[in-house]
Amino acid sequence: MNSHPHQHEHTEAVLNRLSRAIGHLESVRKMVEEGRDCSDVLIQIAAVKSAVNNIGKIILKDHIKSCVVDATVTGDDTVLEDLNVAIDQFMK
Amino acid sequence: MNSHPHQHEHTEAVLNRLSRAIGHLESVRKMVEEGRDCSDVLIQIAAVKSAVNNIGKIILKDHIKSCVVDATVTGDDTVLEDLNVAIDQFMK
C-alpha cells in the first residue's frame, strides 16, 4: 500500500467516468431484461468495454506521472514490479 | 425491433454477469475514492473489461444461435446487416 496521499491529476475524471460506466451497464442490463435487439445490446456492450478501457488508460498515465516518478526518486523498485504485473493484466 | 419473444438460452446468465460486473465496477469506484494502489485498481479494471467482453461474446453466440438462424429461414437480411455493424463495434 502506498503511503503518499493517493490523489492524482485525473482522479475526479476517473470517478465521473466510473459512475457513467456503471449507469451505462445498468441500462444495458435493462435492455437485456426487456428483450431488446441483440445487435443494439452488443453495440452498447462495446461502448462500455471501450469506456472501461479508457478509464484504465487514464489511471495508468496518472500512475506513471506521479507514483512511478516518485518511486524512481526514492529507489522503490516494487512500484515498477507491481505496475508491470498490472500492465500484463490490463493489456492482454 | 424484433417481433419474436426475445429470450435466449443464456439470458439469465447474461443478467447475472451484468449484475456482477456492475458490482465489480462499484467496488473499483470505491477503491479509487479511497486512494488505493493504482496497480491494484488497474488489475480490477482489467478484470471488469474482460468480464464485459465475455458478456458480449455470450450475447453474440446466443444471437447467432437463435435470431440469425431464424432470420435465415425467413430471409430477413436486415438482421445480418445489423449484426455486422454490431460486430464491427464490438471487436475493434
Side-chain angles (χ1 to χ4, degrees), chain A residues 3-63:
Chain A
S3 56
H4 63 282
H6 221 110
Q7 280 287 112
H8 292 309
E9 190 177 344
H10 299 104
T11 297
E12 271 312 307
V14 165
L15 288 172
N16 288 338
R17 279 169 185 255
L18 280 168
S19 296
R20 253 180 289 147
I22 291 165
H24 203 157
L25 218 41
E26 280 165 352
S27 76
V28 171
R29 197 184 186 286
K30 190 161 288 178
M31 287 176 81
V32 175
E33 271 177 339
E34 292 171 352
R36 294 272 290 281
D37 188 81
C38 303
S39 295
D40 293 344
V41 174
L42 266 180
I43 286 174
Q44 295 311 315
I45 290 266
V48 173
K49 195 176 75 170
S50 168
V52 170
N53 200 39
N54 286 333
I55 293 167
K57 286 196 273 186
I58 296 172
I59 293 171
L60 183 57
K61 287 176 189 170
D62 263 1
H63 183 53

Side-chain angles (χ1 to χ4, degrees), chain B residues 2-4 66-80:
Chain B
N2 288 10
S3 56
H4 62 283
S66 61
C67 311
V68 176
V69 172
D70 285 358
T72 307
V73 173
T74 60
D76 182 0
D77 284 345
T78 58
V79 171
L80 274 185

Side-chain angles (χ1 to χ4, degrees), chain A residues 2 6 8 15 19 22 26 29 33 35 37-39 41-42 46 49 53 56 59-60 63 82-83 86 89-90, chain B residues 2 6 8 15 19 26 29 33 35 37-39 41-42 46 49 53 56 59-60 63 82-83 86 89-90:
Chain A
N2 287 11
H6 221 110
H8 292 309
L15 288 172
S19 296
I22 291 165
E26 280 165 352
R29 197 184 186 286
E33 271 177 339
D37 188 81
C38 303
S39 295
V41 174
L42 266 180
K49 195 176 75 170
N53 200 39
I59 293 171
L60 183 57
H63 183 53
D82 290 349
L83 179 60
Q89 291 287 322
F90 180 59
Chain B
N2 288 10
H6 221 110
H8 292 310
L15 288 172
S19 296
E26 280 165 352
R29 197 184 187 287
E33 271 177 339
D37 188 81
C38 303
S39 295
V41 174
L42 267 180
K49 195 176 75 170
N53 200 37
I59 293 171
L60 183 57
H63 184 53
D82 289 348
L83 179 59
Q89 292 288 322
F90 180 59

